[in-house]
Every structure is written in C-alpha cells, then in structure tokens.
Amino acid sequence: MEQLLQMIDQYGYIALYGLLALGIVGVPVPDEILMTTVGSLTVGPDPLLDYGTSLAVCFSGSMTGMLISYFLGRTVGKPFLYKYGKWVKLTPERLGVAEGWFHKYGMWAVTFGYYVPGVRHFTCYLAGVSNVGFWRYLLYAGAGGLVWCVSFLTLGHVIGINAPHIIEVAHRYMGITIAILVILVIVIAYFYWRYRKRTLTRT
C-alpha cells in the first residue's frame, strides 16, 4: 500500500486509474483498501484528491479492467486462463468457484462479484466466454462497479472525516477491547478442547 500511495502521490489520478484497471484484470492490487485509503485522502482543508474526480477515475479504471477481461474471454476463452492465469493469481480452483457462481446467479454474479476477491476477476472472463451480449454485460458490470466504487470511496471519506474521533475512542477503549478479545479466545479454545476430547473418547 505504501508503494501504491507513492505512485498516486507522484502520478495522481493516472496511477489510480491504472491500478484499478489492473486490479480488476487480475493483477494482485488491494482494490478495496486502495479505494478506502483514496477516500480518506479527499477530506481536510487541503485534500490531496477530489472526491468526485476520484470516483470518476475509480469507476473508469474498474470498467476498463472489466471490459478487457470480457473481451479476453470472448477472444481467447478458458484455455488461455488455465495456461496463463496462474501468473496473475487466477488459478483453476478460483475459476471453478467463479463458474459455480456464474452458473447459479447468471449476470448477477458479475454485478455482485465485485465484492468477492478472486471471483470478480473471473466473472467478467466467463461472461465473455459465454458470449453474453456486450450491452447487457455493460449494464450489469457498470451497475455493480458504480456501487462498488461509491461504497469504498465513501467509507474512506467518512473515516477520514471522523479519524480524530475514531483514534480517540480507540485509545480510550483499547484496554477493554483487548481484554474482551483475550477472553473470547480463551472461551473458544476451551470449547474446542472439550469438543476434541469428546470426539477422541468416542473413537
């Protein structure tokens, strides 16, 4: 993330556009974290980025990646993915999961697949492989992409506005939070130990 933010600081919206496009195609870019961080950079008296422009650039970048994936699916098909997908983390196992989604939910898998890392990279390819009509694909992919970008950019924007209050609350209740987490871990470990003990006794 530090390197990605340095790229955005140096090249601005062009870097943001390219990173989102590559992330959708399959290059391992932490898309959601990136957009949330970008959203946090749109607040303050002298923000580094503008919210409206960032939204337009993120949406354009994600749609560019979606269209590249779609046309690759139409032209080269699944054999290409099986052969070269491993270089961008698109493994046959992930392809199988995405195919299950696509066959079960149809084009809605493209719309909501944005929210599932490892699936969104494949649903676009599969839409192309299945020869889904271009305008139909564009409607479903565009609707999902717009909601996806707005969600994470707005989340980062809200976090950025409330960052001082969030930090203050985190510091105030950090001790209590850690204590609760420790107790939860102990309770879960205890019940797991009892379950394992009972299972071994039965066998």
Side-chain angles (χ1 to χ4, degrees):
M1 276 303 303
E2 185 178 347
Q3 292 176 338
L4 298 182
L5 290 175
Q6 285 176 355
M7 290 178 63
I8 293 173
D9 184 47
Q10 186 172 357
Y11 300 105
Y13 295 110
I14 295 175
L16 180 59
Y17 170 85
L19 289 169
L20 264 296
L22 292 173
I24 293 295
V25 171
V27 175
V29 174
D31 305 301
E32 290 89 352
I33 297 174
L34 175 63
M35 285 194 293
T36 304
T37 305
V38 167
S40 70
L41 298 176
T42 62
V43 299
D46 187 23
L48 181 63
L49 301 170
D50 174 71
Y51 178 87
T53 306
S54 297
L55 176 59
V57 171
C58 286
F59 178 67
S60 301
S62 63
M63 284 307 301
T64 298
M66 281 290 200
L67 290 174
I68 291 172
S69 300
Y70 171 78
F71 284 114
L72 278 174
R74 290 197 73 158
T75 53
V76 300
K78 283 196 291 185
F80 175 85
L81 290 180
Y82 280 117
K83 189 172 183 180
Y84 298 106
K86 60 185 178 181
W87 298 108
V88 287
K89 308 290 186 183
L90 302 181
T91 62
E93 291 77 16
R94 288 184 175 181
L95 178 58
V97 172
E99 278 191 293
W101 271 60
F102 195 76
H103 291 145
K104 187 174 182 179
Y105 301 109
M107 288 302 296
W108 289 111
V110 174
T111 303
F112 295 106
Y114 280 94
Y115 293 92
V116 187
V119 170
R120 63 168 167 259
H121 307 114
F122 278 119
T123 51
C124 313
Y125 286 109
L126 293 173
V129 170
S130 303
N131 288 317
V132 172
F134 174 73
W135 294 110
R136 183 165 177 253
Y137 170 78
L138 196 63
L139 174 64
Y140 281 88
L146 182 60
V147 173
W148 183 62
C149 292
V150 169
S151 299
F152 286 99
L153 271 177
T154 303
L155 175 64
H157 188 78
V158 171
I159 290 173
I161 291 173
N162 296 285
H165 178 66
I166 292 171
I167 292 170
E168 180 186 347
V169 171
H171 278 291
R172 184 180 301 173
Y173 297 104
M174 185 175 292
I176 298 173
T177 304
I178 292 173
I180 292 172
L181 288 174
V182 169
I183 292 169
L184 281 173
V185 169
I186 292 172
V187 170
I188 292 170
Y190 171 72
F191 280 106
Y192 177 74
W193 172 77
R194 284 196 63 180
Y195 168 77
R196 289 287 298 169
K197 185 178 179 181
R198 192 176 302 167
T199 304
L200 291 172
T201 303
R202 288 175 182 174
T203 56

